[in-house]
Structures are given as structure tokens and as C-alpha cells.
Amino acid sequence: VTRNTATLTVTAASVPGYIFRRTITIDHTKVPNTDQSNFPVLISGTYPYLATTANGGNVSNSNGYDILFTSDAAGAVPLAFERETYNPSTGAVTFWVKLPTLSHTADTVLYLFYGNSSVSTDPSTSSAVWDSNYVGVWHLADNAANTTVQDSTAHANGTAAVNTNTKSVGGEIGKALTFTGSDKVTTGLHRTAASTWETWFYATASSGTHSLLTIDGSNYVLMALNGLSGSFWSADGLAGPNLGVTGLSPNTWYHIALVRSGDNVSGTGYKVYLNGLLTGQASSGLLGNGNAITIGYRPDFSS
């Protein structure tokens, strides 16, 4: 789903205690090919009306607790959502809202309610947004004097090698973590025969190897960038092809997704999508369990 495609309309709220309601309409032409089920939609930006009342906005709670989303104008059917960030001074927000159905043939409408001085508890539930089909979701927005890298799923995976406040930088969506080759994030996850991983990434140099995601400590690397040309490796026979990921530019954000459909799939066992477009595919072999997934570092290749 393309970002920045929603329109908002404000009306009087109908949920008891809430003063304001806005209608959010998602353009169905930005949803290609088929309807999406249980889809987490990103709602992000700076909206002065979502600042707190003390800062000229209409939100009462300093944590943004009196902001919620529903699928109906009456507010009777709440939607699960994650509040990734909230700035009470400016109204800068990042929400992930789970939509039961995101249509590719008709616009999808949801509702934003805000402004309720009686709300003091958090209505957001990140683990409900990222259901059991997600085994790890890391926004990498951590900026604290500890090594926890928050996983938004119920699995709570992610530990950094150093305190995250020394690695926090601006990201494509909110914050990000920067990796230099000597730091990493370790997880409790292991590779599986069928899986999808995706990430936004940004490399600042056009030479050298930038290893984005390592699975296993024995030469099982999902992707590395060498001179900003992609290379993919696995322990099942895929070794070195770029799968169409090549000629990338430094200091540029890219989104990449790697899909492995299963063991011993001829021709299409691996598929790679760059910025939403299929760039290449290859056969898969037989994959073992391997060691734990590591982000940003390759344990068997120290440099």
C-alpha cells in the first residue's frame, strides 16, 4: 500500500466522552491486485490537532491514550492498533492500525477518535496488530540506555550488542538503528523452510560489504550489499546471485523483501522484491534449522 494516500474529514464524535472524530479514507487504487486481510496500515505524520490541549491541540492525555481507531462512525467496533510514537507537543504520530479487510476495488474507510479527558489507560495493543503470522517486527526506534530492541509481536525478541541510544538515527518511518559491522541485534528466532523477511535499508557508502541480515553462523546470509550490488546466500545452494538487486545508490532508502516459499521449489523457491517490484527469483534446496537470526552482523565473517 502506497504511503500518504489517505484523506481525513473531521466531524463531531459519537463515542461517549470523545469530542472529535475524523474519517480516514484509503484510496483503493493504491491497493494492487487483491484484497488484503488483517493488514497493518501505517498512519504517520504531524497533526497539530493531535497535540495535547496544553500545546494547542485537542488530545487530553499526555501519552496520547485518548486516541483510538474504529471501523464504524459510531465507534462501536474498535480496531487494534499500535502506537509506535506520539509527541504531545507537536502532534507527530506513528500508528499501525490493523484493518480486517483492505479492499482493492472500493475505498476503505476507518475513523479516528480523540479528545477525552476521562481516558487514563492505554487502548493500544501491538501484539494484536502483529498476529501469529508475524514472528518478529522491529521498528528499530529504540533510543534508551539499555540493550533492548523492542519486538512488537508477542515474542519479545531482540537484544542489541550495545545501548541503543548510541545507535539511534533517523529512519524512513520514525527512528532507525545504524550498524557498522561490529554491532548487531540478536534474536531468539531461527530460519524456517517458508518465510518472508522485509526491511527498509540505507547505506552511506558505495563500496565495502553491508550485511543486512544474517541467519546462522555458518555462511547462511540472506542478503549482503557489496558496492551496493545485492548478493544472496543460503545453506541450500543459492550462493551469490543478486536476483536483480543491483546498481543501488548510496544515501537512499530502499525497501526489500525476500520470500522463501519452501524446500526444493524449482525456479521460484526464492523471490526478491525491491520497492514493491519483483526483481528476481531462484530455486530453493533443502534448508536446515541453523542458528539464531542476527540483524546487521555476520558472526562467521568478522569484518
Side-chain angles (χ1 to χ4, degrees):
V1 177
T2 304
R3 298 172 59 196
N4 301 324
T5 60
T7 58
L8 294 87
T9 305
V10 64
T11 59
S14 54
V15 177
Y18 281 85
I19 302 174
F20 302 99
R21 183 190 74 202
R22 287 182 182 254
T23 303
I24 303 174
T25 303
I26 300 175
D27 182 357
H28 73 276
T29 66
K30 306 301 182 181
V31 185
N33 303 323
T34 187
D35 290 358
Q36 301 296 311
S37 299
N38 297 321
F39 191 89
V41 168
L42 171 67
I43 297 176
S44 180
T46 300
Y47 308 100
Y49 52 83
L50 292 182
T52 58
T53 53
N55 292 289
N58 302 121
V59 173
S60 297
N61 187 277
S62 60
N63 296 309
Y65 289 171
D66 57 322
I67 299 174
L68 59 83
F69 299 87
T70 72
S71 62
D72 64 315
V77 185
L79 295 169
F81 71 94
E82 177 186 14
R83 183 191 313 97
E84 183 183 340
T85 62
Y86 174 69
N87 187 317
S89 299
T90 65
V93 299
T94 304
F95 293 104
W96 298 88
V97 183
K98 182 179 180 180
L99 296 181
T101 301
L102 188 61
S103 173
H104 77 296
T105 58
D107 291 352
T108 299
V109 177
L110 64 152
Y111 299 88
L112 165 68
F113 288 83
Y114 58 99
N116 187 340
S117 60
S118 66
V119 175
S120 59
T121 58
D122 188 356
S124 66
T125 51
S126 61
S127 61
V129 176
W130 310 102
D131 60 25
S132 59
N133 292 298
Y134 295 90
V135 296
V137 175
W138 300 272
H139 299 305
L140 302 186
D142 307 84
N143 186 12
N146 60 61
T147 59
T148 300
V149 178
Q150 186 65 42
D151 173 7
S152 290
T153 73
H155 301 287
N157 286 294
T159 303
V162 296
N163 292 348
T164 60
N165 58 359
T166 66
K167 296 296 179 181
S168 185
V169 295
E172 173 67 2
I173 302 170
K175 290 282 192 175
L177 294 182
T178 181
F179 300 96
T180 62
S182 60
D183 41 37
K184 59 186 176 181
V185 173
T186 57
T187 78
L189 298 174
H190 291 259
R191 68 197 192 201
T192 57
S195 64
T196 298
W197 72 263
E198 58 182 301
T199 184
W200 286 98
F201 68 93
Y202 178 105
T204 57
S206 59
S207 62
T209 298
H210 309 275
S211 183
L212 296 181
L213 181 63
T214 300
I215 297 182
D216 197 6
S218 56
N219 200 29
Y220 186 89
V221 180
L222 279 184
M223 179 181 176
L225 293 176
N226 188 5
L228 291 180
S229 292
S231 295
F232 294 85
W233 288 269
S234 75
D236 65 350
L238 179 69
N242 59 40
L243 298 182
V245 180
T246 186
L248 305 181
S249 300
N251 307 315
T252 303
W253 282 103
Y254 294 97
H255 181 272
I256 195 165
L258 176 65
V259 180
R260 191 181 194 277
S261 57
D263 286 336
N264 299 318
V265 179
S266 177
T268 60
Y270 287 97
K271 292 183 177 180
V272 174
Y273 297 82
L274 183 67
N275 293 337
L277 299 177
L278 177 66
T279 61
Q281 49 195 14
S283 300
S284 62
L286 182 64
L287 190 65
N289 182 51
N291 296 325
I293 293 175
T294 303
I295 301 171
Y297 179 82
R298 181 174 168 180
D300 66 320
F301 193 71
S302 60
S303 62

